Amino acid sequence: MDNLKGKTILIGKEPGQGRLLVAIQETGKCCAIGAPGSVPACVSRCKPAEGSAHAKIAVGYDGCLTLTNMKAQNVTFVNGSEIAFKRISLSNSVELGKDHYSINVPAIIESAGKIASLQMQKDVKPNPQSHPQPNPQPSEKKIYNISHLEHVWNDLQAKKKEIQAKQKKINLVRSGCGVFTMCAMPCIFLFGPIGYVLTGIGILGNVYSFVGLKNDDTAEVVEKLNEDFQDRYVCPNPDCNKFLGNMSYRLLKKQYSMHCPYCKSEFVEK
């Protein structure tokens, strides 16, 4: 752990692959742990370039570990209790998110230590006279199929339309309740039982509208949809895997001229 002293370890979900991502904040170097899709949606994504993650572990020069929850909308637990920040040991139980996704602290420290060691080795520059470099070879052109991204975009739009239709239905019922309520009292005096029927319909409509608003989780659903979209609408080059932006598939092809704006890989449709 000596090579980690004074450093900060970022922990969160890997964008695109859904694995646990461990990164050293000071260098941006990272590695993934576990199988693709093994980390639930309740765990925030780790983006070393932006310095954001679900949680972070600061390693003090005395070797002490301090865990901090970095996302206010999410939660982090130590030994079952929610924390904002807390000094921990390798034996503590640490869980991320509302689903209590358990992480292995010793494995994270070990992985971060390996990242730091590799970085130190790279920072040691060899003597070019004692280690002559071979002539550089032209890099192989990278070509990736992006036709699956059209389905990702269409799937997002279809789900958003479903949410909009649900909201429209609740709003129509709410508006109709007002009409029935206004008509009910005059109808009671003029038509007797018909007025009571209208009143009953208005009451039922108000109850339906109230329950719908009370249980409305549209904001959370939309947030999850957007996070899932940002995990899937990415460059297919596994060495890049960066989000391609909130633009339609058709516009994406035109905007980037069938090339990744980050790694410059060529895109094709098959």
Side-chain angles (χ1 to χ4, degrees):
M1 194 190 296
D2 289 343
N3 58 352
L4 292 176
K5 289 181 178 180
K7 292 182 171 60
T8 301
I9 304 169
L10 302 176
I11 307 166
K13 184 173 65 173
E14 179 189 22
Q17 296 296 321
R19 297 175 293 185
L20 186 68
L21 194 67
V22 176
I24 297 179
Q25 187 173 23
E26 288 74 10
T27 64
K29 301 300 180 181
C30 57
C31 70
I33 301 175
S38 58
V39 180
C42 65
V43 177
S44 291
R45 289 173 295 169
C46 179
K47 298 181 179 179
E50 300 175 8
S52 64
H54 186 106
K56 64 181 180 181
I57 296 177
V59 183
Y61 288 100
D62 57 357
C64 292
L65 307 176
T66 302
L67 176 68
T68 302
N69 179 65
M70 295 183 66
K71 293 282 187 176
Q73 66 269 32
N74 292 322
V75 287
T76 300
F77 301 92
V78 175
N79 296 332
S81 299
E82 183 178 344
I83 60 98
F85 61 91
K86 183 177 178 63
R87 180 166 290 186
I88 62 171
S89 66
L90 296 178
S91 61
N92 285 145
S93 169
V94 177
E95 298 167 318
L96 306 181
K98 297 178 182 178
D99 295 337
H100 289 261
Y101 174 72
S102 179
I103 61 174
N104 188 324
V105 177
I108 288 173
I109 297 298
E110 181 181 358
S111 298
K114 291 179 180 178
I115 297 172
S117 297
L118 289 173
Q119 185 62 37
M120 290 175 64
Q121 293 174 11
K122 290 181 179 180
D123 290 341
V124 178
K125 296 182 179 179
N127 187 336
Q129 294 181 349
S130 60
H131 300 280
Q133 298 297 316
N135 293 329
Q137 299 295 322
S139 58
E140 183 180 352
K141 190 176 183 179
K142 296 182 178 181
I143 303 175
Y144 295 93
N145 176 31
I146 61 167
S147 57
H148 66 284
L149 296 180
E150 183 174 16
H151 171 73
V152 174
W153 174 261
N154 291 337
D155 184 51
L156 174 70
Q157 302 312 307
K159 288 179 179 178
K160 284 190 173 181
K161 287 181 180 178
E162 290 179 6
I163 294 173
Q164 290 172 356
K166 180 181 177 182
Q167 286 293 309
K168 185 177 180 180
K169 182 179 179 181
I170 293 176
N171 290 334
L172 285 174
V173 171
R174 191 188 312 166
S175 300
C177 290
V179 175
F180 278 112
T181 302
M182 287 188 297
C183 295
M185 292 304 294
C187 287
I188 290 176
F189 293 107
L190 295 175
F191 305 106
I194 296 179
Y196 292 110
V197 172
L198 292 176
T199 302
I201 293 174
I203 292 173
L204 290 174
N206 279 318
V207 171
Y208 172 82
S209 181
F210 174 77
V211 173
L213 289 174
K214 183 180 179 181
N215 298 325
D216 185 20
D217 58 351
T218 302
E220 291 81 1
V221 172
V222 170
E223 182 179 357
K224 295 296 183 184
L225 279 177
N226 288 332
E227 283 197 359
D228 180 64
F229 173 70
Q230 292 171 9
D231 286 342
R232 297 168 61 199
Y233 206 62
V234 296
C235 173
N237 179 2
D239 294 329
C240 177
N241 213 225
K242 290 187 177 180
F243 177 52
L244 295 174
N246 291 301
M247 63 180 71
S248 69
Y249 177 71
R250 180 185 61 81
L251 183 59
L252 180 148
K253 295 189 296 180
K254 181 179 179 181
Q255 181 77 15
Y256 297 144
S257 302
M258 295 299 282
H259 286 82
C260 175
Y262 305 104
C263 67
K264 308 305 179 184
S265 297
E266 182 178 346
F267 292 159
V268 296
E269 290 182 300
K270 295 181 180 179

